[in-house]
Amino acid sequence: MGYFLSKDVVLKWIETPSVYHLKRDELYELDEESFLYLMNCSNKDCSNDETDFVDYCLDEGILTQTEVLRRKHPPLIKSPEPSLRYLELQVTERCNLRCRHCYIEKDILSELPLDLIRSVLREFEAMQGLRVMITGGEPL
Protein backbone atom coordinates (compact mmCIF):
# COMPACT_ATOMS: atom_id res chain seq x y z
CA MET A 1 0.00 0.00 0.00
CA GLY A 2 1.28 3.47 -0.89
CA TYR A 3 1.03 6.88 0.71
CA PHE A 4 -0.94 9.92 -0.37
CA LEU A 5 -0.77 13.58 0.56
CA SER A 6 -3.56 14.25 3.07
CA LYS A 7 -6.55 16.36 2.00
CA ASP A 8 -5.77 18.66 4.95
CA VAL A 9 -2.35 19.74 3.71
CA VAL A 10 -1.01 21.72 0.78
CA LEU A 11 2.52 22.21 -0.49
CA LYS A 12 3.84 25.78 -0.40
CA TRP A 13 7.11 27.31 -1.49
CA ILE A 14 7.41 30.30 0.78
CA GLU A 15 10.94 31.33 1.81
CA THR A 16 11.72 27.61 1.93
CA PRO A 17 9.91 24.55 0.58
CA SER A 18 7.12 23.79 3.05
CA VAL A 19 3.95 21.86 3.70
CA TYR A 20 1.02 23.66 5.33
CA HIS A 21 -1.57 21.87 7.48
CA LEU A 22 -4.83 23.72 6.80
CA LYS A 23 -6.82 22.61 9.83
CA ARG A 24 -4.04 23.17 12.36
CA ASP A 25 -2.57 26.28 10.73
CA GLU A 26 0.89 24.70 11.00
CA LEU A 27 3.72 25.22 8.56
CA TYR A 28 6.48 22.62 8.26
CA GLU A 29 9.72 23.66 6.56
CA LEU A 30 11.25 20.93 4.43
CA ASP A 31 14.54 20.15 2.78
CA GLU A 32 14.50 19.71 -0.99
CA GLU A 33 14.47 15.90 -0.90
CA SER A 34 11.47 15.78 1.47
CA PHE A 35 9.66 18.43 -0.57
CA LEU A 36 10.15 16.44 -3.79
CA TYR A 37 8.92 13.28 -2.08
CA LEU A 38 5.72 15.01 -0.89
CA MET A 39 5.27 16.62 -4.30
CA ASN A 40 5.33 13.13 -5.78
CA CYS A 41 2.70 12.06 -3.20
CA SER A 42 0.40 14.89 -4.31
CA ASN A 43 0.35 13.59 -7.90
CA LYS A 44 0.06 9.87 -7.21
CA ASP A 45 0.63 7.39 -4.45
CA CYS A 46 4.19 7.29 -3.14
CA SER A 47 6.21 4.17 -2.78
CA ASN A 48 5.81 2.22 0.40
CA ASP A 49 8.99 3.58 1.99
CA GLU A 50 9.46 2.85 5.67
CA THR A 51 11.46 5.82 6.93
CA ASP A 52 11.40 8.09 9.95
CA PHE A 53 10.24 10.92 7.69
CA VAL A 54 7.24 8.92 6.41
CA ASP A 55 6.37 7.82 9.95
CA TYR A 56 6.52 11.44 11.12
CA CYS A 57 4.32 12.57 8.21
CA LEU A 58 1.78 9.86 9.03
CA ASP A 59 1.75 10.89 12.72
CA GLU A 60 1.29 14.59 11.82
CA GLY A 61 -1.47 13.89 9.29
CA ILE A 62 0.62 15.05 6.33
CA LEU A 63 0.46 11.65 4.64
CA THR A 64 -2.32 9.11 4.66
CA GLN A 65 -2.66 5.55 3.44
CA THR A 66 -6.15 6.26 2.11
CA GLU A 67 -6.38 7.46 -1.48
CA VAL A 68 -7.47 11.10 -1.65
CA LEU A 69 -9.42 12.87 -4.37
CA ARG A 70 -6.98 15.24 -6.10
CA ARG A 71 -7.62 18.97 -5.76
CA LYS A 72 -6.55 21.64 -8.20
CA HIS A 73 -3.88 23.93 -6.78
CA PRO A 74 -2.21 27.04 -8.14
CA PRO A 75 1.24 26.56 -9.68
CA LEU A 76 3.88 25.89 -7.06
CA ILE A 77 6.21 28.84 -7.48
CA LYS A 78 8.52 30.49 -4.98
CA SER A 79 6.85 33.36 -3.16
CA PRO A 80 8.34 36.84 -3.01
CA GLU A 81 10.52 37.53 0.02
CA PRO A 82 9.41 38.35 2.57
CA SER A 83 6.33 36.26 1.99
CA LEU A 84 2.77 37.33 2.66
CA ARG A 85 1.40 34.45 4.71
CA TYR A 86 -1.81 35.95 6.09
CA LEU A 87 -4.25 38.39 4.56
CA GLU A 88 -6.96 40.28 6.40
CA LEU A 89 -9.55 41.41 3.93
CA GLN A 90 -12.06 43.99 5.14
CA VAL A 91 -14.81 43.59 2.57
CA THR A 92 -17.22 46.20 3.89
CA GLU A 93 -17.49 49.03 6.39
CA ARG A 94 -21.29 48.89 6.46
CA CYS A 95 -22.59 48.37 9.96
CA ASN A 96 -25.83 49.11 11.76
CA LEU A 97 -24.15 49.21 15.19
CA ARG A 98 -22.65 52.23 16.92
CA CYS A 99 -19.94 50.79 19.16
CA ARG A 100 -17.91 53.37 21.11
CA HIS A 101 -14.64 51.58 20.43
CA CYS A 102 -15.20 51.35 16.64
CA TYR A 103 -12.60 53.08 14.49
CA ILE A 104 -14.72 53.26 11.32
CA GLU A 105 -16.26 56.61 10.46
CA LYS A 106 -20.04 56.36 10.55
CA ASP A 107 -20.61 58.46 7.43
CA ILE A 108 -18.50 56.26 5.13
CA LEU A 109 -20.21 53.14 3.83
CA SER A 110 -17.66 51.68 1.45
CA GLU A 111 -17.45 48.13 0.14
CA LEU A 112 -14.87 46.31 -1.92
CA PRO A 113 -16.24 45.33 -5.33
CA LEU A 114 -16.57 41.57 -5.86
CA ASP A 115 -14.21 41.64 -8.86
CA LEU A 116 -11.51 43.28 -6.74
CA ILE A 117 -11.98 40.70 -3.97
CA ARG A 118 -11.61 37.87 -6.49
CA SER A 119 -8.50 39.49 -7.99
CA VAL A 120 -6.87 39.98 -4.58
CA LEU A 121 -7.61 36.38 -3.57
CA ARG A 122 -6.14 34.99 -6.82
CA GLU A 123 -3.02 37.10 -6.36
CA PHE A 124 -2.69 35.99 -2.72
CA GLU A 125 -3.02 32.35 -3.75
CA ALA A 126 -0.38 32.78 -6.47
CA MET A 127 1.94 34.32 -3.85
CA GLN A 128 1.65 31.05 -1.84
CA GLY A 129 -0.42 32.77 0.86
CA LEU A 130 -1.63 30.57 3.71
CA ARG A 131 -4.74 31.99 5.35
CA VAL A 132 -7.32 34.66 4.58
CA MET A 133 -9.28 36.35 7.35
CA ILE A 134 -12.42 38.06 6.09
CA THR A 135 -13.70 40.88 8.24
CA GLY A 136 -15.68 44.06 8.10
CA GLY A 137 -19.13 45.27 8.81
CA GLU A 138 -22.01 43.73 10.67
CA PRO A 139 -23.82 40.81 9.00
CA LEU A 140 -27.22 41.86 10.32
Side-chain angles (χ1 to χ4, degrees):
M1 174 179 266
Y3 301 110
F4 302 88
L5 201 60
S6 169
K7 65 180 176 64
D8 297 329
V9 299
V10 63
L11 295 174
K12 295 287 185 177
W13 192 357
I14 304 177
E15 281 88 0
T16 61
S18 306
V19 62
Y20 178 61
H21 197 291
L22 299 165
K23 287 190 176 178
R24 287 194 246 152
D25 191 26
E26 287 190 54
L27 186 68
Y28 303 84
E29 291 185 6
L30 303 169
D31 61 21
E32 193 170 320
E33 182 182 348
S34 302
F35 187 69
L36 291 173
Y37 180 82
L38 291 179
M39 224 159 86
N40 188 39
C41 293
S42 69
N43 297 324
K44 59 183 173 71
D45 67 322
C46 301
S47 59
N48 197 357
D49 298 329
E50 296 299 326
T51 65
D52 291 339
F53 175 69
V54 170
D55 291 340
Y56 178 78
C57 287
L58 287 168
D59 290 343
E60 291 295 309
I62 296 168
L63 289 176
T64 181
Q65 292 181 311
T66 307
E67 190 166 357
V68 180
L69 183 64
R70 307 282 180 236
R71 293 186 313 247
K72 184 180 176 190
H73 295 287
L76 195 56
I77 57 173
K78 191 171 190 320
S79 72
E81 290 188 28
S83 64
L84 178 62
R85 296 181 183 200
Y86 298 93
L87 173 67
E88 183 174 327
L89 194 59
Q90 185 168 341
V91 295
T92 183
E93 291 182 342
R94 290 180 183 261
C95 182
N96 60 349
L97 301 177
R98 300 292 178 252
C99 303
R100 287 184 186 175
H101 63 275
C102 186
Y103 58 90
I104 297 174
E105 291 184 39
K106 304 304 180 217
D107 297 335
I108 300 174
L109 299 175
S110 64
E111 291 186 352
L112 289 178
L114 187 56
D115 289 342
L116 180 59
I117 294 170
R118 287 182 178 139
S119 174
V120 167
L121 292 176
R122 278 192 297 272
E123 185 176 346
F124 182 67
E125 185 178 46
M127 293 174 65
Q128 304 300 307
L130 301 180
R131 181 167 288 224
V132 176
M133 295 160 277
I134 298 176
T135 184
E138 163 59 39
L140 303 175

